[in-house]
Every structure is written in C-alpha cells, then in structure tokens.
Amino acid sequence: MESLASQSDSRASLLSLEPENLPGQGYRRGQIAAWLYDKGTTDWEGMTDLPKALRGELAQQYRVSEFAQVQPFESKDGSVKYLYTLLDGKQTEAVYMPYAGRKTICISSMVGCPAGCTFCATGKMGFGRNLTAAEILDQILFAAHHQGHSPRELRNVVLMGMGEPLLNLEQVLMAIRRMLHPQGLAMSPRRVTLSTVGIPRGIYRLAEEDLEVRLALSLHAPDDETRQKIIPTAHRYSIAEIMEAVRHYYSQTGRRVTLEYTMLKGINDHEWQAKSLAQHLEGLSAHINLIPWNPWEGAPHQGTSREGIMKFAAILERQGLPVSVRWSRGRDVGAACGQLALKQPA
Ligand code: SAH
Ligand code: SF4
C-alpha cells in the first residue's frame, strides 16, 4: 500500500491543468509537464531539476497526486489491479496488463456505475460519483510510475473499467485530450479505446470532437427485447438508434468500431441471435469481440460454455464477420472485465 496525499488535501489539482496552463514560465512549465507525463513523477520532491525554493512554493499551492492511497493486487498471470482511494475516501480501480510487450491499462471513468447491467459487478454496486479528468489521468500516471516506466511507454489505454464514460463525457474528453496532447501522454488516438453501453447523444458528441479514438460498443444482444432484460438503459435507446449513431461515428472518423458481446448462457447465445447480429452489422466495418462472462458472487447469470462460444463465433465467421474471443485475464484478483467492484481478493 502506498500513501500519497492526505484525505483532506485542499490544494489545487495540478493534473486538472492543461500543459500550457501549468504553473511557471515557459521553460519551467515544460519541465513540469515532462516530469508529470514523460518521467511519471508523482510528487514535487521528485522534480529534482526545479529549484528547491520553487518546489516548496508550488507544493503549498498544488497537489500532484489525486489519491490518498493506492493498493496494488498482482494476478498470477501478470496483470495488476490497482485500488485507488480518492481524496474524499471513495474508491475506484484500474487494471494494468503488461502482456507481450504491449503495456495496456484499463481505467475507470466513475466510482461505480448508474447503468445497472445485470451481468456486471460494477452495475450491481450502483453509482458513487463521476471521476474528474485529473482522477482519470492519474490512474494511468500512478500505474506507470509503480511499474517503473514512463507513462508514455503505455501502448494502449482502454476506458473499460468502472463506469459509463459517455455519461461523464466532459471530464472523459478532457482526460482523452491530455492523452493525445504532445506535451501530455503524446499517444496516437488509435491507441485509446472508449467502451460504451450505447448512449447515442454521447456517440454523436464524440464524433463531433474529432478525436478519432477507437469506439467499442457493448451490444450484448441483437434484439431490443433481450437487451432490455440485461441492460436497463436499453429501455431508453433502441438498438436501431444506437447503431445509427455508431454508423455516423464510423463515417466521420473512418475508425473501425468494435462490438462487445458478453456471452450469457441461455440469454444471448442462441443461434438465431448470431444470425441476427450479423444482419445488423452489414455494411459496417465492425470487429466483434465475444467476451466469456466473468463470474462474481451473487450474479444472476451463468456464462456460455467454451463450445457454445466457439459455435456462436463460427456462425458469425460464416457470415464474413471478423470475430475474436477475448479470454479475460486477472480473474483471480477480480481484475477481469465486469468484476470491478472494489472487492479485495481473498
Ligand atoms: N460502461 C462501459 C465500459 C465499462 S464495462 C460499457 O459497458 O461498455 C467494459 C466491458 O466489460 C463491457 O463490454 C461490459 O459489457 C463488459 N462486462 C461487464 N461485466 C462483465 C462480466 N461479468 N464478464 C465479462 N464482461 C463483462
Ligand atoms: Fe456500467 Fe458498463 Fe457495467 Fe453496464 S457493463 S453497469 S454500463 S460498467
């Protein structure tokens, strides 16, 4: 466990500032931006080429970290779940995955989630609050620091942790802009993925912003009736409305959209549903990720068997659709998709 700031820290948040608005004059400002986003320093003491007096002065006005405490949990497969205690005592999580030289981090946009999907442990928790852009970014910065490398060495950032990013859009957009900013994380938009349960006005807004990040849509069913049973927000937006927004995103950005489909036994894994899904995707260059469902205590579901998933995938492939099965990592520490609910591993 690492303790960073005190819970009652009332200093201004350094990470809430754009690189061009950081304190100091041009040269100093560039140094501070480099300490934060290139070298991944999490406190003022670490910024050793700033004069000591200046560091002391800035430390009185600005906090560098958004967390009171961070607890890492390492999975047998190498992924690490980070449990962050925010300055108001609420908690959120991120998962760091170092596989095959492609360092990826899955971050959260909220504490909990208001969408209440029946298969998701975060949905079961309910809504805590939205995270600020600074809190979203600091999940990345702290994890890279803890792993001993520059935040810029991360290959992928996925907004697939706790929360629905399109329901916290202003802060999420601010955080994404900092990921892409040349003095921020300097990432290519291709390496940033935003996953949504499907909020049409948010998808249109994202298209308008022209950030060209990758969009992943959590569809999970090809028919409104099934979708409404497992995703409460599906009562508000039909699949047709959501797909129209997704087609618009594709035509504006040229970015191939990913469709996520968590396989739930007896609910969305029937043969007719695979065929119907293929029909929805005609003319849209989409990649389908079938996600084996990750169990959590008290969940009202069972996952589709491995054979069932392969059969479903084969039907989609026969229709000419690109499909992959995303076997999750980190199940042993509750770090897999949909298991994020602040439970400490046993
Ligand atoms: N709110 C956003 C992003 C966070 S959820 C969204 O819903 O897309 C990230 C992904 O994990 C989604 O595709 C979600 O459907 C999936 N997921 C949720 N619970 C799961 C579980 N128990 N097993 C496997 N995938 C799950
Ligand atoms: Fe929220 Fe996504 Fe979980 Fe649904 S699947 S409850 S939208 S985090």
Side-chain angles (χ1 to χ4, degrees):
M1 172 139 19
E2 194 150 339
S3 294
L4 295 147
S6 78
Q7 270 195 23
S8 53
D9 198 326
S10 59
R11 292 173 294 172
S13 157
L14 192 67
L15 292 177
S16 69
L17 304 174
E18 296 297 324
E20 44 283 350
N21 296 330
L22 286 168
Q25 301 303 317
Y27 170 67
R28 291 277 178 238
R29 206 179 275 157
Q31 278 180 308
I32 296 175
W35 280 116
L36 292 177
Y37 299 107
D38 188 14
K39 295 173 196 146
T41 308
T42 57
D43 53 31
W44 286 110
E45 292 82 74
M47 304 193 193
T48 47
D49 60 3
L50 295 183
K52 215 166 170 202
L54 177 65
R55 266 187 273 158
E57 217 175 278
L58 292 173
Q60 297 212 324
Q61 295 174 54
Y62 296 96
R63 61 172 185 265
V64 181
S65 175
E66 296 298 319
F67 308 128
Q69 263 178 8
V70 184
Q71 227 176 328
F73 298 97
E74 201 158 329
S75 161
K76 284 200 277 288
D77 64 25
S79 54
V80 182
K81 172 161 107 170
Y82 287 96
L83 175 62
Y84 300 103
T85 304
L86 303 157
L87 297 179
D88 63 358
K90 293 199 163 39
Q91 293 181 311
T92 195
E93 298 180 334
V95 183
Y96 178 89
M97 295 161 281
Y99 315 119
R102 297 175 167 220
K103 302 179 176 81
T104 295
I105 186 160
C106 171
I107 58 172
S108 296
S109 56
M110 294 177 172
V111 174
C113 183
C117 304
T118 58
F119 49 86
C120 171
T122 309
K124 171 93 183 185
M125 265 178 80
F127 179 56
R129 69 166 169 88
N130 284 337
L131 295 180
T132 63
E135 290 166 336
I136 295 169
L137 280 165
D138 207 10
Q139 295 168 52
I140 305 175
L141 301 181
F142 181 87
H145 169 78
H146 185 257
Q147 295 288 330
H149 63 72
S150 163
R152 290 192 182 157
E153 277 176 48
L154 278 162
R155 193 179 153 95
N156 299 299
V157 173
V158 297
L159 276 146
M160 288 191 187
M162 284 192 173
E164 170 46 49
L166 295 186
L167 292 177
N168 181 18
L169 196 51
E170 292 312 319
Q171 297 300 313
V172 164
L173 287 175
M174 220 186 283
I176 291 177
R177 281 193 213 103
R178 203 81 55 78
M179 293 173 208
L180 309 184
H181 196 296
Q183 280 188 289
L185 292 179
M187 293 184 80
S188 145
R190 254 174 293 135
R191 308 225 188 279
V192 178
T193 302
L194 182 149
S195 173
T196 176
V197 72
I199 313 287
R201 68 171 184 285
I203 298 174
Y204 286 113
R205 175 72 204 287
L206 195 63
E208 234 171 74
E209 286 292 316
D210 210 20
L211 294 170
E212 301 198 346
V213 295
R214 285 188 191 274
L215 182 68
L217 170 69
S218 295
L219 194 64
H220 306 314
D223 58 297
D224 286 312
E225 196 188 331
T226 308
R227 203 165 187 269
Q228 285 167 8
K229 280 190 198 143
I230 52 178
I231 304 177
T233 59
H235 289 278
R236 298 183 49 196
Y237 313 110
S238 68
I239 293 176
E241 280 173 274
I242 297 171
M243 291 310 293
E244 202 178 305
V246 166
R247 281 175 198 276
H248 175 77
Y249 190 82
Y250 175 59
S251 71
Q252 286 296 109
T253 60
R255 286 265 177 266
R256 186 152 110 164
V257 174
T258 301
L259 283 194
E260 292 161 288
Y261 199 104
T262 299
M263 302 289 301
L264 301 170
K265 188 173 174 182
I267 292 182
N268 63 3
D269 59 356
H270 301 286
E271 205 175 309
W272 67 266
Q273 285 164 318
K275 290 181 180 151
S276 164
L277 177 61
Q279 276 168 6
H280 275 297
L281 302 184
E282 259 170 40
L284 178 75
S285 164
H287 187 101
I288 304 168
N289 267 342
L290 298 180
I291 312 173
W293 179 69
N294 294 310
W296 42 275
E297 213 183 297
H301 292 291
Q302 284 184 307
T304 304
S305 67
R306 185 176 271 263
E307 303 79 68
I309 295 174
M310 299 321 278
K311 227 167 113 185
F312 199 87
I315 298 170
L316 294 169
E317 270 168 359
R318 273 202 298 279
Q319 310 286 326
L321 293 166
V323 186
S324 21
V325 181
R326 205 174 73 199
W327 304 103
S328 289
R329 317 264 189 156
R331 273 193 187 185
D332 58 333
V333 291
C337 276
Q339 290 185 319
L340 298 187
L342 305 175
K343 268 254 221 56
Q344 309 209 352

